[in-house]
Amino acid sequence: MAEYTVRFDSHPEPIDVPAGALLVEAARQGGVEIRQPCGGQGRCGRCAVRIESGQVRRRSVLRLSKADIEAGYALACQTVVEGDVSVVVPPPEQIQRRLTTDHIAPEALVPDGYDPEQVQTVRRVVLQLTPPSMDDQTDDWGRLETALRREADIHRLQKSLEQIRKLGPVLRSSDWNIALTYDTGREKNGTAQLIRVQPASQAEEEALCGLAVDVGTTTVTVWLVDLLTGTVMYQGSEYNQQISRGEDVISRIIFASKNDGGVELRDLVLQTINDLVEAACSKTGISAKAIVKATVSGNSTMMHLLLGIPPESIRLEPFITPINNLPLLRASDVGITMNSDGVVDPLPGVASYVGADITAGVLASDLRSSPATTLFIDVGTNGEIVLGSSEWLATCACSAGPAFEGAGVLHGMRADTGAIEEVWIDGTTFEPTSRVIGNVAPRGICGSGLISLVAEMFITGILDKGGHINQTLPTPRVRRTLHGAEYVVAWAAETESGEDIVITRVDIDNLLRAKAAIYAGFNVLADGVGIELESAEQVLIGGSFGKYINIEKAIDIGLLPDIPWEQFEFLGNTSVRGAYLALLDREARAEIAEIASSMTYIELSADNTFYEAFTSALFLPHTDLSRFPSVAAAMT
Amino acid sequence: MAEYTVRFDSHPEPIDVPAGALLVEAARQGGVEIRQPCGGQGRCGRCAVRIESGQVRRRSVLRLSKADIEAGYALACQTVVEGDVSVVVPPPEQIQRRLTTDHIAPEALVPDGYDPEQVQTVRRVVLQLTPPSMDDQTDDWGRLETALRREADIHRLQKSLEQIRKLGPVLRSSDWNIALTYDTGREKNGTAQLIRVQPASQAEEEALCGLAVDVGTTTVTVWLVDLLTGTVMYQGSEYNQQISRGEDVISRIIFASKNDGGVELRDLVLQTINDLVEAACSKTGISAKAIVKATVSGNSTMMHLLLGIPPESIRLEPFITPINNLPLLRASDVGITMNSDGVVDPLPGVASYVGADITAGVLASDLRSSPATTLFIDVGTNGEIVLGSSEWLATCACSAGPAFEGAGVLHGMRADTGAIEEVWIDGTTFEPTSRVIGNVAPRGICGSGLISLVAEMFITGILDKGGHINQTLPTPRVRRTLHGAEYVVAWAAETESGEDIVITRVDIDNLLRAKAAIYAGFNVLADGVGIELESAEQVLIGGSFGKYINIEKAIDIGLLPDIPWEQFEFLGNTSVRGAYLALLDREARAEIAEIASSMTYIELSADNTFYEAFTSALFLPHTDLSRFPSVAAAMT
């Protein structure tokens, strides 16, 4: 058998291994330290190394993005040596950072072949008007509009009284040489919305910027975008300040219905957005006046709260959204810190629980570019699911409850510093290893940590398929309390609070109900369109929560359908990316409208097959084990 | 020769007169007192009597409206007996009132054949929506818009964020039975502007009203209109409170340019309008909330000041209007007291000195309904002139200066109580008789009084054709002062101030310049379109000032062209009537837009024939007496 030489940058000596050896085997042979928290299962992504040169074969690329692979990353535990190889072992912090930041570099965000001239939603044209004279008595606006018709084929310019008031002095102070900024993102037939008229000389020195805003229930994300090039100048996220008034959309709606709750929630989310805009401006040196458009995405409740529209009916049967298709709005009416004559484009939603975050997500996911059947999921408080292809789209929302966001779970918490986000359990000792966000003493367990924990408990036999804790196991970590059995994830001595972090039987029941609701949603949706769920050729996972899910473990517990790992792709925050595309590109904006109007919405609570599907999914991974062959195989 | 019997109601005995006798002759014969301040020239209208029965022939109907004639009125000094006649002599107050009020009864204002169903600009439709259910998840606005498309063929409903916020609660509190009010006055292709959504039961009990507003430099007029029937419920006029900041548009513009002058002027005119609206509401019991639309007319400066648009460029060469065609505005943006979601429709103007008052005037005058060449004039501070027919329209504005509004004349004043509004001078004694508004001691002379005075002075030889006062006449009323010659119109003992009211040489010069500017405007306009001015088949006089002009005297001084009296028609306030028609009727609104866009504007100061025409018109009546044959005849 051929032998190859493996060189690690951290090690002076080359290591000879037989063809077909794994990189971790080479490392072990040479005494090179590579961490493998998941025990070499290719699940944690912590053993990622960078191949500098040489031939390797990646057996699995789970936890690696396309950009990672292009950059040469490979999982040491899953990578087969097929030639002489040079390998760089990155320091652990670097891996940590790679795993937790959005992988997409700002410049990589600009769509391929993006041509502002062709598709820009916001345009700024410079017009040299012929000054009026005694022989040419056209009024100021008529003069402007005639030039605009000639130069830019705009036949109808919509303008506010406030804007009408400003023109005369600008024309005369600029020697009739002006820059006119307008939006045509949602208009057809040569209609435009006026944003701004300014002296051409002033415009030359000024940026033309926009905001892509994703208003999440938990996190608000703002991108500051250079509209002339499409470049993302700043990306920022903050907790939605509304959190202090309720963790999930339901409690927010209830809060909004009382007294001036709606006003308070509106102010809080505006404060969150405006803090981010201020940070963007101060970081980039851009003036808020140069920000002329904001495209806003978010779930239906967040959109209504941001715009001050009473959201009560979203919560009450039959769960009706006041408005899915909002008109283009004035910045001054919305309250975002930007040019007050700027425009705000709230993206369209489909239903009370399938909002603009999903239509934007479908756009960003590129789901519609392929005829392949694709499942797009965005799991947060609710699991929103889209099944479709270039030909058709169907969607539903599963009210999973907030268990995966850490609520309803004794030691649950949001994915914040101190949260256990991944757990591995030794099948012999039942001792856990875990990864904590921020590498600090753990404070609790976040959603991805809970999925990971339940999966590991199930795989190692701590849980049976009904979700019961096996109290006969020889480990002190399984114990019985007044409220039932529990498993100790971290001993008091290791935790921030000095108390044990545990998962209880009640927690597990809540998590099973949440995952069952989502999986049942997949099933009803697939049945509704007449396909087998497992025949989906691609699974795209959006949302910031999704980014941290370990696919294998999510399949292990029956949250995700049992589809080969390589068919899954993590897309990160597709909502803000969709907003960004719709901000830049008229065609993308038209497509999002098309997505919203063509998507068939299935209301699960009106579907009488849902309850049965839900009940069947309350087991680990499912009553019908034949639907989870890979899990069945792992259990034997 | 046949004899006829004339019976006067105020006289017990019948009076026999020969056929062909005038009514005044019959009265004199029987000793019946009928006042004839103009000496039986048919010019003052004071001898109007009502023919109860019998055959008469009216030699002249000057000073009588069509409605007067229909009501049986005839001028005693101009009416020939052609049968046995019964005559009622109205008390003097009644004649006074008839002469000074607008003759049009509110019910006569509704256009013939007006069919709200067909042409209404504002509509209120009742929609019974199917409530949503688990099987019908359409959002609130989608549900509303679908019903509106089906029931009213409206395909695009424009709405504000404020309106979007209100729908949900209204739908649910009304059992999905709503009344929707929208405006389509300026929209085509099934587009509408949402005004209001309310429970259908509430709408049933509520009026649907609009305002027709004419913002004059001196007077603001507001009509409250029932939009369901077209009925005018209230007509009110008040002085524009801006007067205290300048009498004419030029001084207003100057005031607006300084500090916060524009804001102050805007507040003042809004205050004027809103006081009138309040009076209308309290008089009719209509709530301001029920007023959902206002159509506004006025000259370009007034429109700009009302809307807070800086008007400076109107005053400065080349005299450019910031905007002639304003979009439909929200009531809340404009500031008129009415439903804040209502709409304000500012009518279109043509140029800085040919504003919406003129386009509205042309609409109201019905000028475009006949192929006959018609001259439409509106004389105020400026004389705005339109020459046209159903086929074409041309317009110009003569900056006459404010002489006819009483400014620049020593004892000039506005047409207010105490103003001498008509004068007759005895050709032998040179003693004047005059009519004073309000029948009080005179305070000064208003525009119509000045025209009348100059004409009488000219006809009686006190003035020569150059406007010089003949100081050789045997009357103490002509006298010489340090500043030149003057004529005493009222002695100190008769006046309110206890001082003589006079007209001076300087006053006359100013008046000649004003009338010359207007007459030159007529000429340049007629030349511009290639017709003889005197070939105009009809002269329509709009504006509240025009209402009181004595045509004969205006011709005598060369202000109006020498066209037979019966071809003149006084139309009163055509600006507010045009606004009223455009408020009611989509077709009228479309016509006004057509009028504004099709009217050829001739800027006089850019026309090199104007100065010559002006100089020729500085004489009484004109250098070329052949253009004034009726005046030439009277002078011989």
Side-chain angles (χ1 to χ4, degrees):
Chain A
M1 191 182 267
E3 282 223 335
Y4 294 123
T5 304
V6 178
R7 290 167 199 275
F8 289 96
D9 67 328
S10 53
H11 192 68
E13 302 296 321
I15 301 155
D16 292 331
V17 295
L22 292 169
L23 283 178
V24 282
E25 289 165 354
R28 195 178 312 124
Q29 184 179 322
V32 175
E33 170 74 17
I34 295 181
R35 296 180 62 198
Q36 296 176 69
C38 74
Q41 299 182 64
R43 300 181 329 207
C44 69
R46 285 302 182 94
C47 65
V49 295
R50 194 154 53 71
I51 310 300
E52 279 213 313
S53 65
Q55 183 74 23
V56 298
R57 179 168 54 85
R58 293 170 174 84
R59 291 202 321 213
S60 165
V61 292
L62 204 70
R63 313 301 283 171
L64 294 179
S65 69
K66 281 181 186 161
D68 287 340
I69 294 165
E70 277 163 22
Y73 281 97
L75 299 181
C77 74
Q78 299 290 325
T79 299
V80 178
V81 176
E82 297 195 333
D84 293 341
V85 180
S86 284
V87 177
V88 174
V89 182
E93 315 81 66
Q94 200 169 314
I95 293 295
Q96 177 67 24
R97 210 175 314 123
R98 190 184 54 76
L99 285 168
T100 53
T101 57
D102 215 317
H103 300 318
I104 308 164
E107 55 279 9
L109 289 166
V110 181
D112 280 349
Y114 175 64
D115 179 359
E117 280 301 306
Q118 292 305 312
V119 296
Q120 239 175 352
T121 65
V122 172
R123 282 165 199 268
R124 185 161 72 190
V125 292
V126 170
L127 300 172
Q128 174 63 62
L129 305 181
T130 310
S133 66
M134 295 304 293
D135 297 324
D136 174 5
Q137 293 266 306
T138 309
D139 62 311
D140 292 348
W141 280 97
R143 188 169 302 275
L144 178 79
E145 285 166 351
T146 303
L148 193 61
R149 199 174 305 126
R150 203 178 47 228
E151 302 289 328
D153 207 27
I154 296 298
H155 291 255
R156 181 174 182 163
L157 186 66
Q158 293 178 322
K159 51 200 180 283
S160 71
L161 182 54
E162 202 49 63
Q163 291 172 324
I164 289 170
R165 291 175 180 148
K166 291 176 189 167
L167 181 65
V170 171
L171 289 180
R172 288 169 182 80
S173 71
S174 68
D175 261 333
W176 306 85
N177 189 20
I178 52 160
L180 191 140
T181 308
Y182 60 90
D183 179 77
T184 59
R186 289 168 65 171
E187 293 292 351
K188 291 173 203 140
N189 310 323
T191 298
Q193 187 84 35
L194 176 66
I195 293 175
R196 199 175 179 194
V197 180
Q198 63 194 129
S201 57
Q202 182 192 91
E204 269 170 32
E205 296 161 9
E206 205 170 80
L208 188 70
C209 293
L211 302 171
V213 180
D214 168 45
V215 185
T217 310
T218 304
T219 305
V220 174
T221 299
V222 169
W223 291 5
L224 176 67
V225 179
D226 179 340
L227 293 175
L228 297 174
T229 61
T231 309
V232 178
M233 304 172 73
Y234 176 89
Q235 296 175 294
S237 290
E238 278 299 339
Y239 283 121
N240 186 335
Q241 290 181 28
Q242 290 178 342
I243 288 176
S244 58
R245 304 297 185 278
E247 295 256 339
D248 54 48
V249 296
I250 300 301
S251 45
R252 302 266 174 94
I253 294 174
I254 292 171
F255 189 90
S257 326
K258 290 183 191 154
N259 306 320
D260 286 334
V263 175
E264 194 176 337
L265 290 182
R266 184 169 179 231
D267 289 347
L268 286 167
V269 69
L270 275 173
Q271 190 60 52
T272 309
I273 294 171
N274 290 338
D275 285 352
L276 284 163
V277 175
E278 230 167 84
C281 287
S282 89
K283 194 93 171 200
T284 56
I286 293 294
S287 141
K289 228 179 169 176
I291 304 175
V292 296
K293 182 168 187 177
T295 303
V296 184
S297 175
N299 66 54
S300 299
T301 301
M302 288 305 114
M303 296 293 262
H304 282 69
L305 291 175
L306 170 64
L307 299 174
I309 307 168
E312 283 76 26
S313 59
I314 290 178
R315 181 176 74 90
L316 304 169
E317 201 178 311
F319 315 118
I320 301 303
T321 334
I323 185 163
N324 287 321
N325 289 294
L326 282 146
L328 193 69
L329 302 169
R330 286 273 167 210
S332 53
D333 288 338
V334 176
I336 295 178
T337 303
M338 54 188 285
N339 193 305
S340 62
D341 286 328
V343 291
V344 173
D345 185 6
L347 296 179
V350 174
S352 279
Y353 296 101
V354 177
D357 50 347
I358 300 308
T359 58
V362 169
L363 175 78
S365 75
D366 238 2
L367 184 157
R368 302 221 313 162
S369 65
S370 147
T373 299
T374 301
L375 186 62
F376 171 81
I377 61 181
D378 184 337
V379 179
T381 310
N382 289 283
E384 287 116 351
I385 310 167
V386 178
L387 194 58
S389 71
S390 50
E391 304 296 318
W392 54 276
L393 289 170
T395 185
C396 72
C398 328
S399 56
F404 288 125
E405 293 190 322
V409 173
L410 188 59
H411 288 112
M413 67 177 283
R414 285 196 301 270
D416 205 346
T417 302
I420 292 170
E421 59 169 345
E422 183 127 37
V423 180
W424 300 268
I425 299 179
D426 188 301
T428 315
T429 61
F430 306 106
E431 282 300 301
T433 312
S434 58
R435 184 168 77 222
V436 178
I437 297 178
N439 278 321
V440 297
R443 294 195 292 134
I445 315 167
C446 68
S448 59
L450 289 167
I451 291 170
S452 185
L453 176 59
V454 174
E456 291 285 315
M457 287 171 75
F458 175 57
I459 294 291
T460 55
I462 301 172
L463 290 180
D464 69 10
K465 60 180 290 186
H468 307 284
I469 294 174
N470 182 349
Q471 297 175 50
T472 65
L473 294 177
T475 166
R477 290 193 181 255
V478 170
R479 64 190 187 194
R480 197 180 167 74
T481 74
L482 261 173
H483 305 293
E486 63 186 26
Y487 173 81
V488 181
V489 184
W491 295 112
E494 307 156 358
T495 70
E496 196 204 48
S497 66
E499 288 176 20
D500 293 347
I501 292 176
V502 302
I503 185 162
T504 69
R505 172 66 214 253
V506 175
D507 296 342
I508 289 164
D509 280 353
N510 282 335
L511 290 164
L512 288 192
R513 273 200 294 276
K515 77 97 188 173
I518 292 170
Y519 189 77
F522 293 143
N523 270 291
V524 173
L525 192 60
D527 287 354
V529 296
I531 66 161
E532 288 284 314
L533 175 59
E534 290 77 12
S535 72
E537 296 165 61
Q538 218 188 165
V539 183
L540 306 177
I541 303 181
S544 50
F545 171 62
K547 200 165 57 174
Y548 302 104
I549 294 183
N550 180 319
I551 299 291
E552 185 201 16
K553 288 179 176 172
I555 295 172
D556 284 344
I557 69 167
L559 169 61
L560 293 178
D562 197 356
I563 291 171
W565 297 352
E566 58 272 21
Q567 292 173 27
F568 283 83
E569 192 176 346
F570 291 102
L571 300 177
N573 187 342
T574 45
S575 176
V576 73
R577 277 183 59 211
Y580 162 74
L581 294 172
L583 170 70
L584 283 192
D585 185 337
R586 285 167 60 82
E587 288 165 17
R589 183 61 182 80
E591 198 182 335
I592 232 175
E594 172 68 21
I595 289 168
S597 67
S598 66
M599 213 183 264
T600 305
Y601 174 68
I602 296 175
E603 170 57 49
L604 293 184
S605 48
D607 191 296
N608 47 26
T609 66
F610 179 76
Y611 185 71
E612 196 186 333
F614 173 73
T615 315
S616 305
L618 275 175
F619 289 79
L620 285 171
H622 194 270
T623 319
D624 179 3
L625 199 59
S626 73
R627 303 193 69 163
F628 287 84
S630 82
V631 184
M635 286 166 65
T636 53
Chain B
M1 193 183 267
E3 283 224 333
Y4 295 121
T5 306
V6 178
R7 288 166 200 277
F8 289 97
D9 67 330
S10 52
H11 190 69
E13 301 297 318
I15 301 155
D16 292 331
V17 295
L22 292 168
L23 283 177
V24 285
E25 290 166 352
R28 196 178 309 126
Q29 185 180 321
V32 176
E33 170 75 17
I34 295 182
R35 297 179 65 197
Q36 296 176 67
C38 73
Q41 297 181 64
R43 299 184 328 208
C44 68
R46 285 303 181 93
C47 65
V49 295
R50 193 153 53 73
I51 311 298
E52 279 214 313
S53 65
Q55 184 74 24
V56 297
R57 179 166 57 83
R58 292 169 175 85
R59 291 203 320 215
S60 164
V61 293
L62 203 69
R63 314 300 283 170
L64 295 179
S65 68
K66 281 180 185 163
D68 288 340
I69 294 166
E70 277 163 24
Y73 281 97
L75 299 181
C77 74
Q78 298 291 326
T79 300
V80 179
V81 177
E82 295 194 335
D84 293 341
V85 181
S86 284
V87 177
V88 174
V89 182
E93 315 81 66
Q94 200 170 313
I95 293 296
Q96 178 66 26
R97 209 176 314 124
R98 190 186 54 76
L99 285 168
T100 53
T101 57
D102 215 320
H103 299 317
I104 308 164
E107 56 279 10
L109 289 167
V110 182
D112 281 349
Y114 174 64
D115 179 0
E117 280 301 308
Q118 291 304 313
V119 296
Q120 240 176 349
T121 65
V122 172
R123 282 167 198 267
R124 186 163 70 191
V125 293
V126 171
L127 299 174
Q128 175 63 62
L129 305 182
T130 310
S133 66
M134 294 305 292
D135 296 324
D136 174 5
Q137 294 265 307
T138 309
D139 62 311
D140 292 349
W141 280 97
R143 188 169 301 275
L144 178 79
E145 285 167 350
T146 303
L148 193 63
R149 197 173 308 127
R150 203 177 48 228
E151 302 290 329
D153 208 25
I154 296 298
H155 291 254
R156 181 175 181 161
L157 187 66
Q158 293 176 323
K159 50 201 180 282
S160 71
L161 182 54
E162 202 49 62
Q163 291 171 324
I164 289 170
R165 290 174 181 150
K166 292 176 189 167
L167 181 64
V170 171
L171 289 180
R172 288 169 182 81
S173 71
S174 67
D175 261 334
W176 306 85
N177 188 21
I178 52 160
L180 189 140
T181 307
Y182 60 90
D183 179 76
T184 58
R186 290 167 64 171
E187 294 291 352
K188 291 172 204 140
N189 311 325
T191 298
Q193 187 84 36
L194 176 65
I195 294 176
R196 200 175 178 194
V197 180
Q198 62 195 131
S201 57
Q202 181 192 88
E204 268 169 34
E205 295 161 8
E206 204 170 79
L208 187 71
C209 293
L211 302 171
V213 180
D214 168 44
V215 185
T217 311
T218 304
T219 306
V220 173
T221 299
V222 169
W223 291 6
L224 176 67
V225 179
D226 179 339
L227 293 175
L228 296 174
T229 61
T231 309
V232 178
M233 304 172 74
Y234 176 89
Q235 295 175 295
S237 290
E238 277 300 338
Y239 283 121
N240 186 334
Q241 290 180 29
Q242 291 178 341
I243 288 176
S244 57
R245 305 297 186 276
E247 297 256 337
D248 54 48
V249 296
I250 300 301
S251 44
R252 304 266 173 93
I253 294 174
I254 292 171
F255 188 89
S257 325
K258 289 181 192 154
N259 306 322
D260 285 334
V263 175
E264 196 176 337
L265 290 181
R266 183 167 181 232
D267 289 347
L268 286 167
V269 69
L270 275 173
Q271 190 60 52
T272 310
I273 294 171
N274 290 338
D275 285 352
L276 284 164
V277 175
E278 227 167 84
C281 288
S282 88
K283 194 92 170 202
T284 56
I286 294 293
S287 141
K289 226 177 172 178
I291 304 174
V292 295
K293 181 169 187 176
T295 302
V296 184
S297 174
N299 65 56
S300 299
T301 301
M302 288 305 112
M303 295 294 262
H304 282 69
L305 290 176
L306 170 64
L307 300 174
I309 307 168
E312 283 76 22
S313 60
I314 291 178
R315 181 176 75 90
L316 303 169
E317 203 178 310
F319 315 117
I320 301 303
T321 335
I323 185 163
N324 287 320
N325 288 295
L326 281 146
L328 193 70
L329 301 170
R330 286 273 166 209
S332 53
D333 288 338
V334 176
I336 294 178
T337 302
M338 54 189 285
N339 193 305
S340 61
D341 286 329
V343 291
V344 174
D345 185 6
L347 296 179
V350 175
S352 279
Y353 296 101
V354 177
D357 50 346
I358 300 308
T359 58
V362 169
L363 175 78
S365 75
D366 238 1
L367 184 158
R368 302 219 316 161
S369 66
S370 146
T373 300
T374 301
L375 186 64
F376 171 81
I377 61 182
D378 184 337
V379 178
T381 311
N382 290 284
E384 288 117 351
I385 310 167
V386 178
L387 194 58
S389 72
S390 50
E391 303 296 318
W392 54 276
L393 290 169
T395 186
C396 71
C398 328
S399 56
F404 289 125
E405 293 191 320
V409 173
L410 187 59
H411 288 111
M413 66 176 285
R414 285 197 300 270
D416 204 347
T417 303
I420 294 170
E421 59 168 346
E422 183 126 39
V423 179
W424 301 269
I425 298 178
D426 188 302
T428 316
T429 63
F430 307 107
E431 282 300 301
T433 311
S434 58
R435 185 170 77 223
V436 178
I437 298 178
N439 278 322
V440 298
R443 296 195 291 133
I445 316 168
C446 68
S448 59
L450 290 167
I451 291 170
S452 185
L453 176 60
V454 173
E456 292 284 315
M457 287 170 75
F458 175 56
I459 294 293
T460 57
I462 301 172
L463 291 179
D464 68 11
K465 59 180 292 184
H468 307 284
I469 295 174
N470 182 350
Q471 296 176 50
T472 66
L473 294 176
T475 167
R477 290 193 180 256
V478 170
R479 65 190 185 195
R480 198 181 167 72
T481 73
L482 262 174
H483 306 290
E486 63 186 28
Y487 174 80
V488 181
V489 185
W491 295 111
E494 307 157 358
T495 70
E496 197 203 48
S497 66
E499 285 176 22
D500 295 346
I501 292 175
V502 302
I503 185 161
T504 69
R505 173 63 216 255
V506 174
D507 296 342
I508 289 163
D509 280 353
N510 282 335
L511 291 164
L512 289 192
R513 272 200 295 276
K515 77 97 187 173
I518 291 170
Y519 188 77
F522 293 143
N523 270 289
V524 173
L525 192 59
D527 287 355
V529 297
I531 66 160
E532 287 286 310
L533 175 60
E534 290 76 11
S535 72
E537 295 165 63
Q538 220 189 163
V539 182
L540 307 176
I541 303 181
S544 51
F545 171 62
K547 199 165 59 174
Y548 302 105
I549 295 182
N550 179 318
I551 299 290
E552 185 202 14
K553 290 179 176 172
I555 295 172
D556 284 345
I557 69 167
L559 168 62
L560 293 178
D562 197 355
I563 291 172
W565 298 353
E566 59 272 20
Q567 292 175 27
F568 283 83
E569 194 177 344
F570 291 100
L571 300 177
N573 187 342
T574 45
S575 177
V576 73
R577 276 184 58 214
Y580 162 73
L581 294 172
L583 170 70
L584 283 191
D585 184 337
R586 285 168 60 83
E587 289 165 16
R589 183 60 182 81
E591 197 181 335
I592 233 176
E594 171 69 20
I595 288 167
S597 66
S598 66
M599 213 184 265
T600 306
Y601 173 68
I602 296 177
E603 170 58 48
L604 293 184
S605 47
D607 191 297
N608 47 25
T609 67
F610 179 76
Y611 186 71
E612 195 186 331
F614 172 73
T615 315
S616 305
L618 275 175
F619 290 78
L620 286 169
H622 194 269
T623 318
D624 179 3
L625 200 57
S626 73
R627 304 194 69 163
F628 287 85
S630 81
V631 185
M635 285 165 67
T636 54

